[in-house]
C-alpha cells in the first residue's frame, strides 16, 4: 500500500495507519485521511492530470487509493457550466453550476464518495458493504457494489422517495427500510458494523468516503483553468462535502497546482432540517440536533456527523450559511430548470434558493466568480413537484384544436 496517506486524529494529530477506523482511541475525535503533500506534489503535475481520462481517478495521488490502483468506473468529472440566465435572475454576473445531477452512474455526487470508499473496502478485504442513507448514497452503493461483485446491504428511512428506493432495489441490493429517521438508521448501522464484518461506507469507512468529496473541488479548479473561484455554495447534510471541497482547495494550493486565493465557502440547508445553518447564523459554538421535517429528504440529517467541522470551515473562510423553506426549494428547482435547462433534485433547489438570499443580503457580490454545487438529479424527487406544476390539458389530434389552444396561450414568433 502506498503510504502517501494515513488516518490521523483531527484533534490530537495521532496517526493510525490505514484501516476501517473512525474515532481516535485517545480523544474520541473523528479521524481523517492526511496526505504527505510534499510527496504528492513531487508525484504529479497539471499536465499529467490533464492527459488522464475525464473521471475522478485523474486525481488519484490526492485520493486514499493504493498506488497503481485502477478502476474502469468513469465516475465524476461532471460539467462545470456557465449560468448567465440564472445569474441574471438571482443577481450574479459570473455564476457557474457544478452539475453532479449528471454524475455517473447514479446521477448524484454520492457516486464520488462511494467510488473511493469501495476502493478501500476492497483493499481491506470486505466482501459485504453497506450504508445508512437518505437516498442517493443508497443508489450509489447498490450500483457500484453490483459492478464490483460485492454484496450490498442498504439501510434507509422508510419514507424515502419511491424513485430512490426503486433505484436501489433494481441493482439487487438488500434494502432495509427502517421505521425511523436517518439519525436512527445511522445509529442502527453503527451497531451492525460492530457485530458483522461489513464495510459501511459512511460508518466504519467514513474517513475514506469523505475524501471522495474533494474531487468536486479539484474539478471546479481545473475546469476554471486551474484557478479557484471566489465563492462556492454547497448543500449540507452530514457536512462532509462542504468540508472536503475546502480541503481540496487547500491541497491544490499546498501542492502548487493553483495559486493561493481566499475562497468563501457557503452552506445551504432546508429550513426543516438546518442544524448546521442555524448554528452558523445563530453564532452557536456547537451543533444542536434537530428532528427533520422537509421535502428535501436527501439533506434530512438532524445530527450531522461532520457538522462541527463544516461550521468551522464556513466561518474560517469568511462564508455563511442559510436555509430555504419548502416553497423556496420548489421555486429554486423551477428557476434552475427554466433558466438553465438543468433539473436538479430538492437539494439543488435548496442551493439555488440560498444562493439568491446570499446575493440579496450582500454576502456574495455580483461580480465575483460563484459556483453552485448541484448535487443530484430531479428525476429522483419528482414527488416534490407533482402538485406544483399546472396540469397539462389534452387536445384532440386536429389542427383547429391546437390552434384554439395556441390562441389561448400565445407563442414566441
Ligand atoms: C448527501 C447529499 C448532500 C450532502 O452531503 P454531505 O456530505 O452529507 O453534507 C448534498 N446533496 C445531495 C443530493 C446529497 O445526496
Ligand atoms: Zn485524538
Amino acid at each position: 500500500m502506498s503510504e502517501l496517506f494515513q488516518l490521523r486524529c483531527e484533534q490530537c494529530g495521532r496517526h493510525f495507519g490505514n484501516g476501517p477506523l473512525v474515532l481516535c482511541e485517545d480523544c474520541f475525535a473523528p479521524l481523517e485521511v492526511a496526505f504527505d503533500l510534499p510527496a504528492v506534489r513531487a508525484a504529479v503535475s497539471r499536465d499529467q492530470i490533464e492527459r488522464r481520462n475525464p473521471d475522478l481517478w485523474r486525481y488519484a495521488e490526492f485520493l486514499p487509493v493504493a498506488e497503481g490502483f485502477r478502476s474502469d468506473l468513469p465516475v465524476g468529472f461532471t460539467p462545470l457550466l456557465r449560468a448567465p440566465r440564472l445569474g441574471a435572475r438571482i443577481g450574479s454576473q459570473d455564476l457557474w453550476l457544478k452539475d453532479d445531477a449528471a454524475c455517473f452512474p447514479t446521477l448524484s455526487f454520492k457516486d464520488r464518495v462511494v467510488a473511493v470508499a469501495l476502493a478501500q473496502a476492497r483493499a481491506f478485504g470486505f466482501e459485504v458493504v453497506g450504508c445508512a442513507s437518505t437516498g442517493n448514497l443508497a443508489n450509489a452503493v447498490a450500483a457500484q457494489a453490483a459492478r464490483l461483485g460485492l454484496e450490498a446491504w442498504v439501510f434507509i428511512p422508510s419514507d424515502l422517495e419511491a424513485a430512490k428506493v426503486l433505484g436501489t432495489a433494481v441493482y439487487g441490493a438488500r434494502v432495509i427500510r427502517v421505521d425511523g429517521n436517518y439519525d436512527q438508521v445511522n445509529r442502527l448501522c453503527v451497531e451492525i458494523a460492530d457485530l458483522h464484518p461489513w464495510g459501511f461506507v459512511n460508518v466504519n469507512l467514513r474517513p475514506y468516503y469523505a475524501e471522495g468529496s474533494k474531487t468536486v473541488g479539484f474539478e471546479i479548479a481545473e475546469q476554471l483553468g486551474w484557478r479557484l473561484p471566489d465563492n462556492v455554495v454547497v448543500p449540507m447534510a452530514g457536512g462532509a462535502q462542504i468540508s472536503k471541497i475546502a480541503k481540496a482547495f487547500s491541497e491544490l494550493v499546498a501542492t502548487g497546482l493553483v495559486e493561493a486565493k481566499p475562497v468563501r465557502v457557503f452552506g445551504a440547508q432546508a429550513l426543516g432540517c438546518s442544524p448546521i445553518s442555524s448554528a452558523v447564523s445563530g453564532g452557536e459554538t456547537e451543533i444542536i440536533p434537530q428532528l427533520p421535517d422537509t421535502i428535501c429528504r436527501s439533506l434530512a440529517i438532524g445530527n450531522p456527523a461532520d457538522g462541527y467541522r463544516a461550521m468551522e470551515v464556513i466561518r474560517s473562510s469568511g462564508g455563511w450559511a442559510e436555509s430555504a423553506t419548502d416553497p423556496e426549494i420548489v421555486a429554486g428547482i423551477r428557476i434552475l430548470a427554466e433558466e438553465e435547462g438543468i433539473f436538479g433534485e430538492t437539494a439543488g433547489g435548496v442551493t439555488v434558493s440560498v444562493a439568491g438570499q446570499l446575493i440579496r443580503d450582500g454576502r456574495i457580490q455580483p461580480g465575483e466568480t460563484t459556483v453552485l454545487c448541484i448535487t443530484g438529479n430531479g428525476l429522483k424527487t419528482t414527488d416534490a413537484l407533482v402538485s406544483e406544476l399546472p396540469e397539462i390539458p389534452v387536445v384532440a389530434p386536429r389542427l383547429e384544436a391546437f390552434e384554439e389552444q395556441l390562441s389561448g396561450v400565445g407563442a414566441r414568433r
Side-chain angles (χ1 to χ4, degrees), residues 82-84 87 91-96 224 227 230-231 365-371:
R82 280 185 186 278
S92 167
Q93 288 139 20
D94 194 21
L95 190 69
W96 300 75
L224 285 173
R227 153 176 95 80
D230 297 306
N231 310 300
Q365 298 304 315
E368 294 169 347
T369 302
T370 299
V371 179

Side-chain angles (χ1 to χ4, degrees), residues 25 71 75 99 102 137 139 168 211 263 305 309-310 313 352 370 375 386 412:
E25 284 167 12
S71 167
V75 177
D99 186 13
L137 184 60
N139 298 166
T168 303
E211 291 298 294
V263 181
R309 157 58 51 113
V313 161
V352 168
T370 299
T375 50
V386 275
R412 203 192 272 184

Side-chain angles (χ1 to χ4, degrees), residues 47-120:
D47 281 354
Q48 280 170 303
I49 292 172
E50 284 170 357
R51 281 198 298 272
R52 294 175 180 168
N53 291 338
D55 59 43
L56 59 70
W57 306 115
R58 69 208 265 114
Y59 309 107
E61 287 82 357
F62 291 88
L63 295 175
V65 292
E67 210 180 325
F69 168 85
R70 291 282 173 274
S71 167
D72 67 349
L73 277 184
V75 177
F77 217 76
T78 57
L80 180 74
L81 304 161
R82 280 185 186 278
R85 265 179 280 276
L86 180 64
R89 182 104 173 232
I90 66 176
S92 167
Q93 288 139 20
D94 194 21
L95 190 69
W96 300 75
L97 303 171
K98 182 60 174 158
D99 186 13
D100 274 5
C103 202
F104 177 84
T106 66
L107 309 178
S108 89
F109 106 94
K110 291 295 197 310
D111 288 318
R112 302 171 179 276
V113 287
V114 169
V116 175
L118 293 191
Q120 280 309 82

Side-chain angles (χ1 to χ4, degrees), residues 299-318:
L299 302 183
I301 296 184
N303 190 10
D306 294 300
Y308 186 78
R309 157 58 51 113
M311 179 170 75
E312 284 193 324
V313 161
I314 293 166
R315 285 204 177 121
S316 65
S317 77

Side-chain angles (χ1 to χ4, degrees), residues 221-246:
E222 183 179 349
Q223 290 168 319
L224 285 173
W226 296 106
R227 153 176 95 80
L228 299 181
D230 297 306
N231 310 300
V232 285
V233 186
V234 187
M236 305 182 291
Q241 181 182 205
I242 192 167
S243 314
K244 297 299 173 177
I245 289 175

